Amino acid sequence: GWPGSGGTRGGAAMDLFGDLRRMNKRQLYYQVLNFAMIVSSALMIWKGLIVVTGSESPIVVVLSGSMEPAFHRGDLLFLTNFHDDPIRAGEIVVFKVEGRDIPIVHRVIKVHEKGNGNIKFLTKGDNNEVDDRGLYKEGQNWLEKKDVVGRARGFLPYVGMVTIIMNDYPKFKYALLAVMGAYVLLKRES
């Protein structure tokens, strides 16, 4: 190899620590504050979306293939959950089942409306052979409005793949967070 080519990686690391040492405390505080601003802005946007859409989780990622070909793993769904909207057969809803942490995205296949306005309905994944009764809690045959987190109003294909990769490979998540943290702290003000 060329003279001096072996020491580049070590040199880069030393430069980085030199940079960190040279960066004065004020600059560091500024970057930490900057990071806090980004995080709080994201939280405010999220809270705003919750208020505007009426859904406790306005954006969800499709995690399974049970709704293909309508939605694929990694699609990002935008939800609304206005209580006045009637639930209709054929609609795609996101619902929570007792005992399961992750909400399920499936299509409504049957709706029973009672005289007093109460609604019960049954869901199924487009790609599944059977309806969702096996997924509901024991003894539950129908979903009610209170089980619904939201209804799919639009989607972006595959944008949520990052979420799925982070779920499937936790190490990737920590690597990504480390890179983002380092970027924010070391970013020079141009």
Side-chain angles (χ1 to χ4, degrees):
W2 296 96
S5 64
T8 50
R9 186 176 294 160
M14 289 311 293
D15 280 357
L16 183 74
F17 288 118
D19 271 0
L20 276 173
R21 266 201 300 275
R22 277 194 295 276
M23 190 190 281
N24 58 19
K25 281 204 178 89
R26 177 179 296 173
Q27 224 174 341
L28 188 68
Y29 288 142
Y30 177 75
Q31 299 293 35
V32 169
L33 247 147
N34 214 359
F35 188 62
M37 289 286 287
I38 293 167
V39 171
S40 55
S41 303
L43 283 171
M44 279 159 59
I45 291 168
W46 182 250
K47 287 286 184 207
L49 278 174
I50 290 176
V51 171
V52 171
T53 60
S55 173
E56 65 196 64
S57 39
I59 298 172
V60 294
V61 174
V62 178
L63 295 175
S64 80
S66 65
M67 279 300 287
E68 290 173 6
F71 297 127
H72 295 272
R73 284 189 80 196
D75 288 355
L76 202 71
L77 300 187
F78 299 99
L79 310 180
T80 60
N81 197 17
F82 302 121
H83 282 286
D84 309 338
D85 284 0
I87 288 176
R88 296 274 173 252
E91 257 192 322
I92 292 166
V93 295
V94 179
F95 60 92
K96 267 201 142 136
V97 178
E98 262 180 65
R100 283 176 180 264
D101 295 339
I102 296 174
I104 299 168
V105 182
H106 279 175
R107 194 181 297 276
V108 176
I109 55 169
K110 282 185 189 161
V111 178
H112 279 290
E113 211 160 339
K114 291 188 182 156
N116 61 4
N118 271 2
I119 288 180
K120 288 183 162 181
F121 55 94
L122 181 62
T123 53
K124 176 184 172 293
D126 291 0
N127 204 13
N128 291 353
E129 295 292 310
V130 293
D131 63 41
D132 290 343
R133 285 194 170 129
L135 298 174
Y136 303 161
K137 73 168 195 265
E138 226 173 296
Q140 181 182 8
N141 285 327
W142 301 94
L143 290 176
E144 293 172 38
K145 254 193 170 162
K146 64 172 171 50
D147 301 315
V148 174
V149 176
R151 284 165 248 185
R153 289 288 179 245
F155 77 104
L156 283 172
Y158 301 120
V159 176
M161 266 333 256
V162 177
T163 313
I164 287 184
I165 294 166
M166 290 197 304
N167 275 342
D168 293 353
Y169 310 100
K171 286 192 179 122
F172 175 80
K173 177 163 55 184
Y174 297 122
L176 192 70
L177 286 171
V179 168
M180 282 166 62
Y183 172 76
V184 169
L185 286 174
L186 298 175
K187 196 178 68 179
R188 285 275 177 276
E189 290 312 306
S190 43

